[in-house]
Amino acid sequence: MRPGVVVALVSVSVLMLGTAPATAAPPPLPARLADTGGGRQLITAEAPRAGATSGTVTWWDRRGGRWVRAGSAPARFGAKGLVEGTARKQGTNTTPAGLYDLPFAFGVRPAPRGTAVRYRPVHRDSWWCQDTASRSYNRWTEPRPADCRAAESERLIGYRTQYAHALVIGFNYHRPVRGRGAGIFLHVNGSGATAGCVSVPADAMRRILRWANPTARPHIAIGTKGGPTAITRY
């Protein structure tokens, strides 16, 4: 074969490689979930693996049939990582993986301007009952009822930093299973990993509260990038 022919073939090959189509970008995370709750807003809280105590919270809007990222922030999870919500046990410092609604918001500080979700102000006698023997298990109580032991509950005003602003995560909330866990929130960062909640920086928490629209039925999906607690399972 003549040298000129070889050069021509190589040139054609280089041109063909240069015009190869780019790899399509993966669909946004909510589009890969098994369920998003049926609303037009979603929060995803994703950790790299089950034993991780940090990851990312992202909030999304559904517009024109597509999920669009509205904001994102670094997140913290339970000190013992994440576990399947249906298998979680109270007191294990694990964050329950799953898809949950967001019943209401609360805070030691007033609601950020523009907050539309139901917001309960924390008072000195506001408690979250975690006593498995109480009729008020996994409920806000004000004041604390006699059958709810203080040692087994949280006095909300005692966590002025973490509960400056918070959203209740509907884990084990609507039909509580005693011993599975109580008081799981999306709240402001404390000094480190959480006792089972999801936390974000204070500014991000305020932005989420201003973003959340109750008519859009926001939910939160919590999970890992892969494995048995993969966020895409929920």
Side-chain angles (χ1 to χ4, degrees), residues 13-41:
S13 298
V14 170
L15 285 171
M16 290 178 67
L17 288 172
T19 57
T23 304
L29 181 55
R32 291 180 272 131
L33 268 58
D35 189 5
T36 59
R40 292 180 285 107
Q41 287 188 328

Side-chain angles (χ1 to χ4, degrees), residues 66-84:
R66 295 177 60 252
W67 286 102
V68 179
R69 178 182 172 277
S72 186
R76 296 175 183 174
F77 298 98
K80 298 296 183 181
L82 290 79
V83 69
E84 175 68 44

Side-chain angles (χ1 to χ4, degrees), residues 103-112 115 117-123 126-128 140 142 154-157 159 162-169 183-188 197 205 209:
F104 63 92
F106 67 90
V108 174
R109 298 179 63 84
T115 299
V117 294
R118 183 163 70 98
Y119 191 92
R120 297 189 69 168
V122 171
H123 301 126
S126 302
W127 291 76
W128 197 276
W140 173 297
E142 197 173 291
E154 282 190 348
R155 190 182 185 193
L156 300 178
I157 204 165
Y159 300 88
Q162 295 93 324
Y163 297 160
H165 302 295
L167 269 166
V168 176
I169 295 175
I184 301 298
F185 312 129
L186 173 62
H187 63 69
V188 176
C197 296
M205 192 67 235
L209 286 176

